[in-house]
Amino acid sequence: MEYAKLVAEYLKILIWPGVALTFILLFRAKISSAIGRLNSVDVAGMQASFAEGAEEARQETEELTLTAAEGEQNTPPEQAPSDEAERPSVLSPVPVPHPAFRRARDRAHRDPAEAVDMAWGIMEDALITALQARGVRLDQLVGARDSFINHYLAVAGMTVEARMTWSNLRTLHRTSAHAPDAPTLQAAIAYVESCRSFTVVALEALASAPLPQG
């Protein structure tokens, strides 16, 4: 009797895994399809989120560019520098790397995530080069390069809104690095153009503002 009870208890333990296994075997095609649909929904959600962020960044950088252009137009003639000799703190002009950004834009057609990574790297390198041209030593660099640049953007007098745009571009770059399927072609192109526009404004700010020398 005791043996029969013991067998019955074992059967109770084993029956549910057996039922689960049978269920999986019978409906594995439907289960696989459902999982595939969930993955597709996740990817679509990431792409929509990234596209929205990239479009917001594009609009923000366009506004920054327009604001900077209006500031130059409103500068009284007697305050506008006539040549580089009147700006002795600028050691050398740093051109905007437009060709590099064009290459990143072209890359977006083949690999949107790689284009995002290229654009962020081009922008970072250009701003680091500008800081070096202003006498900021890289041995002062503590922590990540993006935080180092953000600090000097604040020192150069860039607005909170402008530095929020920088942070948004950084967040989008990190999102793309962790989820390469997130950027679509159009979103990657918007991101590249945002980085290019931000670089234009930031280089001007770093070239004209008094920065502490290293």
Side-chain angles (χ1 to χ4, degrees), residues 51-168:
E52 181 180 357
E55 180 59 24
E56 288 178 0
R58 187 188 64 77
Q59 294 175 4
E60 290 168 358
T61 53
E62 283 184 358
E63 290 174 6
L64 290 176
T65 303
L66 290 173
T67 301
E70 290 171 359
E72 290 177 1
Q73 292 174 0
N74 295 331
T75 301
E78 63 274 12
Q79 295 182 15
S82 58
D83 53 41
E84 285 301 317
E86 294 186 23
R87 299 169 66 175
S89 60
V90 181
L91 301 182
S92 64
V94 178
V96 179
H98 291 296
F101 282 118
R102 283 196 293 271
R103 288 193 293 273
R105 185 186 175 103
D106 291 341
R107 185 63 60 87
H109 292 271
R110 299 191 297 275
D111 190 332
E114 187 174 349
V116 168
D117 188 54
M118 282 180 65
W120 174 262
I122 293 164
M123 179 171 61
E124 264 199 334
D125 289 345
L127 299 186
I128 287 290
T129 301
L131 289 172
Q132 287 179 294
R134 293 301 313 279
V136 176
R137 299 201 318 259
L138 289 189
D139 59 8
Q140 298 174 347
L141 199 161
V142 177
R145 284 171 28 129
D146 53 3
S147 299
F148 183 75
I149 292 170
N150 186 57
H151 166 73
Y152 276 100
L153 293 177
V155 171
M158 293 195 76
T159 64
V160 173
E161 290 79 8
R163 286 183 283 120
M164 280 297 296
T165 299
W166 167 262
S167 297
N168 292 340

